[in-house]
Amino acid sequence: MPDKKPPVHTVPNPDGGWNNKQGGKIVSRADTKAEAQRKGREKAKKDGTEHRIHNKDGKIANSNSYGNDPNPPKDKK
Protein backbone atom coordinates (compact mmCIF):
# COMPACT_ATOMS: atom_id res chain seq x y z
CA MET A 1 0.00 0.00 0.00
CA PRO A 2 1.51 3.37 -0.96
CA ASP A 3 2.25 5.95 1.72
CA LYS A 4 -0.57 8.42 2.10
CA LYS A 5 0.57 11.97 1.45
CA PRO A 6 -0.18 14.55 4.15
CA PRO A 7 -2.87 17.13 3.43
CA VAL A 8 -2.07 20.39 1.63
CA HIS A 9 -2.81 23.48 3.74
CA THR A 10 -3.31 26.90 2.12
CA VAL A 11 -2.22 29.30 4.86
CA PRO A 12 -1.47 33.03 5.17
CA ASN A 13 2.21 33.96 5.08
CA PRO A 14 3.09 36.25 8.01
CA ASP A 15 5.26 38.31 5.63
CA GLY A 16 2.44 38.74 3.09
CA GLY A 17 0.84 36.54 0.48
CA TRP A 18 -0.12 32.90 0.95
CA ASN A 19 1.73 29.58 1.26
CA ASN A 20 0.79 26.00 0.55
CA LYS A 21 2.29 23.64 3.09
CA GLN A 22 2.45 19.87 3.06
CA GLY A 23 4.00 17.91 5.89
CA GLY A 24 5.22 21.16 7.47
CA LYS A 25 7.14 22.21 4.34
CA ILE A 26 6.22 25.06 2.00
CA VAL A 27 5.45 23.53 -1.41
CA SER A 28 4.35 26.76 -3.16
CA ARG A 29 3.78 30.47 -2.59
CA ALA A 30 1.36 33.01 -4.09
CA ASP A 31 0.52 36.69 -3.75
CA THR A 32 -3.23 36.13 -3.53
CA LYS A 33 -5.37 33.61 -1.68
CA ALA A 34 -7.16 32.66 -4.93
CA GLU A 35 -3.87 31.82 -6.65
CA ALA A 36 -2.64 29.88 -3.60
CA GLN A 37 -5.90 27.90 -3.51
CA ARG A 38 -5.52 27.00 -7.20
CA LYS A 39 -1.94 25.78 -6.66
CA GLY A 40 -2.92 23.93 -3.48
CA ARG A 41 -5.85 22.23 -5.21
CA GLU A 42 -3.58 21.07 -8.06
CA LYS A 43 -1.06 19.63 -5.58
CA ALA A 44 -3.77 17.90 -3.52
CA LYS A 45 -5.34 16.39 -6.67
CA LYS A 46 -1.93 15.22 -7.89
CA ASP A 47 -1.20 13.58 -4.53
CA GLY A 48 -4.76 12.28 -3.98
CA THR A 49 -5.05 13.91 -0.57
CA GLU A 50 -6.97 16.58 1.37
CA HIS A 51 -6.77 20.31 0.65
CA ARG A 52 -7.46 22.52 3.68
CA ILE A 53 -7.97 26.23 3.12
CA HIS A 54 -7.36 28.53 6.07
CA ASN A 55 -8.61 32.06 6.77
CA LYS A 56 -6.28 34.94 7.65
CA ASP A 57 -6.77 34.05 11.34
CA GLY A 58 -5.41 30.54 10.67
CA LYS A 59 -8.69 28.66 11.19
CA ILE A 60 -9.71 26.10 8.57
CA ALA A 61 -12.47 27.66 6.44
CA ASN A 62 -12.88 24.90 3.87
CA SER A 63 -11.64 21.38 3.19
CA ASN A 64 -11.78 19.35 0.00
CA SER A 65 -10.83 15.73 -0.51
CA TYR A 66 -9.09 14.51 -3.68
CA GLY A 67 -8.52 10.90 -2.78
CA ASN A 68 -9.71 8.51 -0.14
CA ASP A 69 -12.00 10.76 1.89
CA PRO A 70 -11.72 9.83 5.58
CA ASN A 71 -15.23 11.26 6.15
CA PRO A 72 -17.32 10.61 3.04
CA PRO A 73 -20.81 12.16 2.92
CA LYS A 74 -23.50 9.92 4.37
CA ASP A 75 -26.16 10.92 1.85
CA LYS A 76 -25.47 10.16 -1.79
CA LYS A 77 -28.07 12.58 -3.21
Side-chain angles (χ1 to χ4, degrees):
M1 182 169 148
D3 289 339
K4 184 170 173 7
K5 295 268 191 169
V8 176
H9 291 265
T10 298
V11 296
N13 181 327
D15 298 325
W18 292 79
N19 294 334
N20 284 301
K21 291 185 168 185
Q22 189 175 34
K25 296 183 180 134
I26 295 172
V27 294
S28 65
R29 300 174 197 264
D31 291 331
T32 65
K33 184 176 183 179
E35 177 68 8
Q37 281 180 248
R38 186 185 64 74
K39 289 179 177 182
R41 183 171 45 251
E42 287 174 1
K43 177 73 171 144
K45 282 182 177 180
K46 180 176 172 250
D47 291 349
T49 191
E50 297 277 314
H51 179 210
R52 299 199 176 117
I53 302 152
H54 296 250
N55 286 328
K56 280 252 187 219
D57 65 7
K59 292 182 181 166
I60 296 174
N62 204 343
S63 183
N64 296 301
S65 182
Y66 299 105
N68 295 324
D69 190 343
N71 300 304
K74 304 257 185 283
D75 62 343
K76 301 287 183 188
K77 295 178 186 174

